[in-house]
Amino acid sequence: MAASFTPLQPRLGIAHGEIRLVCGCSAMETHFMKLTTNSAAPVKVEMPALSPTMEEGNIVKWLKKEGDAVAAGDALCEIETDKAVVTLESSDDGVLAKILMEEGSRAVRLGTLIALMVEEGEDWKTVEIPPPVAATQATPAPAAPTAPPPHPPRAASTGPLRLSPAARHILDTHGLDPQLATPTGHRGIITKEDALNLLKKFPDSKTTPVTAAPVAAAPSPVSTPAAAPLPPGSRPMYPPQSIPGKPGAPGTFTEVPASNVRRVIAQRLTQSKTTIPHAYATIDCDLGAVMQLRKEMAKAEIKVSVNDFIIKAAAATLRELPEVNVTWSGEGPQALDSISISIAVATPKGLITPIITNAADKGVQEISANAKALAQKARNGKLLPHEYQGGSFSISNLGMFGISEFSAVINPPQACILAVGTSRAVLHLTEETGALSTQQLMTVTLSSDGRLVDDELASRFLDKFRANLERPQRMTLN
């Protein structure tokens, strides 16, 4: 009897194999017996990186049930990334044996095991779940109580402890001494992560106050608010957290969980305002010609919006001034070959910027169709990664909300973003005749990266943009 090992193709990054036993001799027919064990090598489905900035995801919905057959290309589940809801597809055939992360699971880190698959014909009910990797790291926890001795030197701090609301709630709930936490937040604030790290060291919260070394200092952060009432009209340092489902008392709060999209928006806005030198320039544009052209196109049953003309005018201006069609990288400016316009779309989960690619080569009617389709997909959370990643220039239009003018935050690594306000009727005195006429003026503000676009270049861009918008015949409309 001879044995040979024939590996199968890797699936989802995990190698799967089979054993063949070859029995027989020259006078007998050779037989093959396939021995497969589910516990030996189930196919692992892990949380993938579905966008360049994704660090974790939420399981929105499973599209397959345990025991369902799965073919290559079938949709397994819907995952909420930091940008949109993306469908995870299977890369091979098999059977979905076990779902490890149920629907509604939040903040699932990249690489976390979310499901197991087996080959067709295998007994999926007997699949063995691999032990979690973190289990081997949790064993040293009982030895953690020996760690408090290094902390007493920090207990001699002169000022009061500063805790975030989440950290204060965790420490109070588990009876942990804040003096034992190592603050890593800004200006010595004890963050939620610091509190969780301390909780890992002391899983048994009942014994923590007894084993804490600075016994005399421990009561101070807890007893001070009760023993020494604050002066009238002063604000408490750590307001108590309200109880869900009950009316909040004065000074309380309720934590609202942030979605992945909200967290990424917060990170990128902070990055933009703290690392990009913003410069602003504002100009008024006359929409008379655009309004007249829209009426003529409407007679031919061609419906386009003012925003579609704005997108086209911006793309045409970028073609005339390619030095604005740039992005900033760690090495410096990068000139872009294509002109792709990012349009800000408001969704229930936050703003997202789908991209109209090669906008300078498209007519207003095609731009309108692309913008409507992308906006609908954005609101439904169905944008694909290539539909919102990239872009060379952004436009944010709040005119439909009655906003006259505003300044937008640059979307890095882009160089500019154009903020568009609403149109308004303004009386204008005609110099030739001295008669009064009505103009439809619209205010736009260009936010530019001072490292890439200086004030003179920003002024030339707005001047050409206004010329293109006020004389739409200059642009290619079809």
Side-chain angles (χ1 to χ4, degrees), residues 281-407:
T282 301
I283 199 170
D284 289 333
C285 303
D286 187 354
L287 295 180
V290 170
M291 295 295 191
Q292 182 62 33
L293 186 55
R294 285 186 67 210
K295 292 180 181 179
E296 296 175 1
M297 298 177 71
K299 294 178 181 179
E301 297 184 352
I302 300 176
K303 296 182 179 181
V304 294
S305 67
V306 174
N307 197 57
D308 301 326
F309 283 92
I310 294 172
I311 295 172
K312 179 61 181 179
T317 307
L318 288 173
R319 172 174 283 175
E320 297 178 45
L321 294 175
E323 54 266 42
V324 182
N325 193 46
V326 295
T327 59
W328 179 269
S329 69
E331 303 298 328
Q334 289 183 340
L336 302 177
D337 298 328
S338 62
I339 298 174
S340 299
I341 305 297
S342 303
I343 54 175
V345 176
T347 71
K349 297 180 180 179
L351 284 177
I352 191 169
T353 53
I355 300 169
I356 299 178
T357 57
N358 301 317
D361 300 326
K362 296 179 179 178
V364 174
Q365 189 174 358
E366 185 178 1
I367 289 176
S368 177
N370 291 165
K372 291 176 182 177
L374 289 171
Q376 188 60 45
K377 292 183 70 174
R379 295 186 183 98
N380 295 336
K382 300 297 184 181
L383 285 175
L384 300 177
H386 70 273
E387 293 175 323
Y388 57 79
Q389 294 174 8
S392 55
F393 187 93
S394 291
I395 296 176
S396 179
N397 191 341
L398 296 181
M400 65 285 296
F401 300 108
I403 303 301
S404 56
E405 61 178 289
F406 69 103
S407 300

Side-chain angles (χ1 to χ4, degrees), residues 155 158 203 250 313 344 369 390:
T158 57

